Amino acid sequence: LMATIGELERHAQPTGHVPIERLGTIRFHEVTYQYEYDPQRSDALNGVSLVIEPNTTVGLVGPSGAGKSTLAELLLSLRQPTSGRITIGDIDLVDIQRSDWARLTALVPQDQQLTPTSIADNIDFLRGLDRADIVGAAHRAHVDRDIVAIADGYDHIVGSRSQGLSGGQRQRVAIARSLAGHPQLLGLDEPTSALDATTERFFRRTLDDLRGKMTIVVIAHRPTTIEACDRIIEIRDGT
Ligand code: ADP
Ligand code: MG
């Protein structure tokens, strides 16, 4: 564990120094991204320019390998463009103080990773939230009823896949974790598989509830998700 922590600290993301309290208009200016270890040395994203207005829901669609996840990670500042710029209002994203940015944003990856601890701790995720905040977030992610139905409820220890929580419930716990911090920008990578009809319906309801209240960028595979978007951005071959 110490070795891993040391490794992560040696590769700490550079921080900017401009504080930010509210999310403004997001702009990509000719953004290109190339993975360092891509044997083909091709651009994952190539000259992408786009505008995302605050409090809109934007769907990202396109075939597998098109660059959707890469775009989402650049948007969340988990990666920095190889060339081009991303601005938030008038500020360059690389100049924004990382702690502020982390507070303003949340990403629910396609393969959500829960840790082997209680459901409450998974939602809290070391932020020291009180139980009311945790339950509130679970409500908003439409997973509260599922949690109280299992023995131990919020104190249930998350185990291997066969223990207690279905794939869809795990996804909703991951959404609750992201909502618990009240982000202004939410990135969602919609699960492609193992999504039962109930979870698909809940996922749509969550999107409908949040629409207009925060900026949402959702990587969308399903018609029900695409219908919930104000705008659709299609990516093909990184453009
Ligand atoms: P999508 O999410 O649309 O399926 P990605 O953004 O994951 O697409 O990938 C875009 C391109 O970048 C693909 O060609 C993929 O092979 C490549 N790529 C993705 N992640 C990495 C990585 N960690 N290293 C090298 N190449 C990658
Ligand atoms: Mg992807």
Side-chain angles (χ1 to χ4, degrees):
L1 188 60
M2 294 313 291
T4 305
I5 290 171
E7 179 76 8
L8 290 169
E9 283 177 346
R10 275 194 301 283
H11 292 91
Q13 299 266 356
T15 180
H17 297 284
V18 181
I20 182 171
E21 274 181 21
R22 291 215 63 81
L23 186 79
T25 301
I26 300 164
R27 290 194 177 79
F28 276 50
H29 311 259
E30 296 285 327
V31 170
T32 292
Y33 187 81
Q34 189 180 68
Y35 282 95
E36 204 174 333
Y37 301 112
D38 182 358
Q40 295 164 17
R41 308 302 286 169
S42 58
D43 294 333
L45 286 181
N46 188 346
V48 171
S49 296
L50 54 87
V51 179
I52 299 172
E53 297 294 349
N55 301 328
T56 55
T57 299
V58 174
L60 287 182
V61 302
S64 175
K68 303 182 295 297
S69 298
T70 305
L71 195 152
E73 288 173 12
L74 286 162
L75 174 66
L76 274 286
S77 198
L78 302 174
R79 301 179 181 282
Q80 279 70 48
T82 308
S83 68
R85 295 163 64 225
I86 301 169
T87 53
I88 310 299
D90 313 326
I91 317 168
D92 204 310
L93 184 49
V94 294
D95 294 330
I96 291 176
Q97 206 168 295
R98 288 203 74 84
S99 52
D100 279 2
W101 187 248
R103 207 172 327 107
L104 284 184
T105 61
L107 177 67
V108 183
Q110 197 160 5
D111 294 314
Q112 76 290 348
Q113 293 192 349
L114 301 186
T115 47
T117 174
S118 70
I119 292 176
D121 284 348
N122 266 285
I123 296 174
D124 177 32
F125 211 56
L126 304 171
R127 285 171 289 194
L129 306 173
D130 58 37
R131 193 49 77 99
D133 287 337
I134 291 169
V135 173
H139 259 286
R140 289 184 290 142
H142 295 285
V143 69
D144 173 64
R145 282 219 238 149
D146 300 60
I147 296 169
V148 297
I150 26 186
D152 299 339
Y154 283 86
D155 297 317
H156 173 81
I157 305 292
V158 176
S160 66
R161 278 179 193 276
S162 52
Q163 269 181 314
L165 294 183
S166 70
Q169 288 169 332
R170 299 169 75 93
Q171 182 71 14
R172 280 179 277 143
V173 170
I175 292 173
R177 172 192 287 172
S178 72
L179 294 180
H182 298 279
Q184 294 178 27
L185 171 62
L186 179 65
L188 290 161
D189 210 338
E190 186 190 46
T192 39
S193 57
L195 200 57
D196 50 278
T198 312
T199 296
E200 182 170 347
R201 209 167 57 240
F202 280 132
F203 191 78
R204 171 62 190 267
R205 245 205 261 168
T206 300
L207 280 180
D208 289 342
D209 295 345
L210 299 177
R211 192 170 181 177
K213 299 191 181 115
M214 61 183 73
T215 306
I216 302 171
V217 176
V218 55
I219 298 178
H221 305 286
R222 285 153 204 276
T224 49
T225 304
I226 291 168
E227 282 164 17
C229 297
D230 300 309
R231 281 180 58 216
I232 301 292
I233 295 172
E234 184 176 8
I235 312 177
R236 271 168 198 263
D237 287 334
T239 61

